[in-house]
Amino acid sequence: MAGHGHRRIDGKGRFPSGGHQDRIGHPAAAGQPSRTRGQHGLDCWVALGDDLRKIASIQNQLLNAQLELEREYRKIRDAETRYRTIFQKLGQPILIVDGTDRKIVDANLAASRTLLRPVGKLIGENIISLFESGHRDMLGELMSEAQHSGTARAAVARLAEVDVEQSVALEPFRENGRNSLFLRLSPPPGAHENDDAVNRDATDVFETLPES
């Protein structure tokens, strides 16, 4: 019989040519075959390797977490789309104002029509500047009161460019950790309203929205 360093096993019981051979009893690296002594003094090959089941389990958990995040993102995106549709369809002029610098961060089409400015021109504008100078200090104090108290405030003020009095309703809220104000404009009490769209509320808009 040839020495152990030259033995071959193939399908007929010989070592495959070019196979890795270690000394008998010598530990081999993970993933490499190791030669050992079996029963009746016969040489055997033992395959050593790492158990990858834990890694596969972690990979599956990461994949499931990613899929769940994608589902949540789609829900948020759909909710944002519905919000934008409702916001723009409301007939009452509405503006979202940053509570810190008083700048407009969003406005609907009704606000654009009332203030005679495109929505893009309103965003970034200081809300106080849209009213007559004699009412600006009062509105600034009203906004501060609404934010500090956390309750709604209302007053009547005259718009500067269109020279029209409006009832200004302020409601504070927090968004992404920032203080903001929900500002609604409407004709003052006793004023005649010619457009029924001014009174259209979110419930009416919801009924007209397609299923998403």
Side-chain angles (χ1 to χ4, degrees), residues 99-128:
T100 302
D101 56 18
R102 305 288 196 258
K103 289 184 178 180
I104 299 170
V105 296
D106 207 353
N108 66 355
L109 294 176
S112 173
R113 290 192 294 266
T114 299
L115 298 169
L116 302 180
R117 289 194 192 183
V119 171
K121 296 290 185 180
L122 288 172
I123 294 176
E125 189 76 21
N126 189 305
I127 186 65
I128 301 295

Side-chain angles (χ1 to χ4, degrees), residues 38-202:
Q39 291 182 342
H40 309 298
L42 297 177
D43 293 341
C44 303
W45 282 96
V46 178
L48 303 177
D50 294 327
D51 186 352
L52 301 179
R53 287 176 295 182
K54 290 184 178 180
I55 296 177
S57 176
I58 293 173
Q59 289 176 336
N60 285 333
Q61 292 176 14
L62 290 174
L63 177 60
N64 291 333
Q66 182 179 0
L67 293 175
E68 182 63 26
L69 286 174
E70 290 177 357
R71 285 192 291 268
E72 291 300 320
Y73 173 75
R74 283 195 296 269
K75 289 180 182 179
I76 294 173
R77 187 177 58 187
D78 291 344
E80 182 178 0
T81 300
R82 288 193 294 270
Y83 155 76
R84 296 297 308 172
T85 303
I86 293 169
F87 186 66
Q88 294 301 334
K89 282 194 173 185
L90 286 171
Q92 185 175 27
I94 297 174
L95 302 100
I96 307 300
V97 180
D98 187 287
T100 302
D101 56 18
R102 305 288 196 258
K103 289 184 178 180
I104 299 170
V105 296
D106 207 353
N108 66 355
L109 294 176
S112 173
R113 290 192 294 266
T114 299
L115 298 169
L116 302 180
R117 289 194 192 183
V119 171
K121 296 290 185 180
L122 288 172
I123 294 176
E125 189 76 21
N126 189 305
I127 186 65
I128 301 295
S129 67
L130 300 181
F131 294 87
E132 284 190 351
S133 57
H135 296 155
R136 292 176 183 176
D137 290 342
M138 177 268 293
L139 284 174
E141 293 174 1
L142 200 70
M143 291 181 181
S144 297
E145 291 176 6
Q147 286 184 271
H148 293 156
S149 66
T151 57
R153 291 289 189 273
V156 175
R158 182 174 293 276
L159 296 173
E161 294 184 8
V162 296
D163 194 25
V164 173
E165 278 195 341
Q166 290 281 293
S167 178
V168 182
L170 298 167
E171 296 182 28
F173 69 96
R174 288 184 64 83
E175 182 181 27
N176 298 326
R178 296 175 62 89
N179 291 322
S180 300
L181 290 163
F182 188 80
L183 187 150
R184 292 178 292 116
L185 298 175
S186 60
H192 179 67
E193 298 179 5
N194 295 321
D195 191 355
D196 292 337
V198 174
N199 294 322
R200 192 176 190 186
D201 58 15

